[in-house]
Amino acid sequence: MNRIIFTTSQEAQKIKDAALLNKHCLVIEIDGKKYPTYNDYIRYMEKRLSFPRPCEEIWERYDDWMTDLSWLNDTEYVFIVEHYNDFLGKDADGKQCFYESFEKQILPWWESEVVDHMAEGHPMKMNVYLVP
């Protein structure tokens, strides 16, 4: 089941170490202290996941790319947000959008919805680990 999980730094390190042993898994580490706004975070994700085109600070475009990922060859994704308490600290609306985007759109899409809405779509394992 794809989900958002609050965890400790030590547990996140174990999850990361195990994920890195899987050649089909992409680990995305996010240092929450570096991204005070949602737009800062989106710009990082554009580069980190090599989005085919920029989101241009349009949040819906970010959601579209995150529910596509067809240009990547990975079948499993692990997102680890360190310093989650500081993450998007200057953008309360953005922080809510980040959480809800994963909870209500991205994770359900990759868990099962992709099969019904994308030609040759297949579910992928995707979890988000939040470390205070």
Side-chain angles (χ1 to χ4, degrees):
M1 176 176 208
N2 294 347
R3 51 194 185 141
I4 301 171
I5 302 161
F6 286 89
T7 190
T8 65
S9 187
Q10 295 83 3
E11 190 61 30
Q13 184 63 49
K14 290 178 189 176
I15 291 162
K16 175 185 165 187
D17 292 344
L20 289 173
L21 295 175
N22 178 349
K23 66 180 181 178
H24 301 289
C25 182
L26 180 62
V27 176
I28 297 97
E29 295 180 271
I30 301 158
D31 181 350
K33 290 182 178 181
K34 292 183 178 180
Y35 307 100
T37 70
Y38 198 52
N39 288 328
D40 295 324
Y41 160 74
I42 288 175
R43 281 190 292 275
Y44 168 72
M45 293 300 287
E46 286 174 345
K47 291 176 187 164
R48 180 64 180 87
L49 293 177
S50 303
F51 286 2
R53 285 182 280 163
C55 297
E56 299 173 342
E57 298 187 4
I58 299 171
W59 295 2
E60 292 81 7
R61 287 186 187 171
Y62 163 80
D63 291 337
D64 287 345
W65 289 128
M66 292 296 290
T67 55
D68 182 345
L69 302 177
S70 59
W71 63 95
L72 300 173
N73 295 319
D74 304 290
T75 59
E76 183 175 340
Y77 294 83
V78 171
F79 296 85
I80 300 173
V81 182
E82 293 277 353
H83 309 112
Y84 183 69
N85 292 342
D86 297 317
F87 181 59
L88 308 180
K90 294 182 179 178
D91 191 353
D93 289 341
K95 192 165 190 171
Q96 181 178 354
C97 189
F98 165 84
Y99 193 94
E100 289 180 357
S101 181
F102 271 102
E103 180 183 51
K104 295 179 180 177
Q105 288 184 281
I106 300 166
L107 298 179
W109 174 263
W110 288 116
E111 184 163 330
S112 62
E113 293 172 9
V114 64
V115 174
D116 296 327
H117 301 285
M118 184 181 275
E120 298 182 36
H122 56 86
M124 288 195 290
K125 185 175 179 185
M126 183 180 285
N127 287 305
V128 179
Y129 298 91
L130 306 177
V131 181

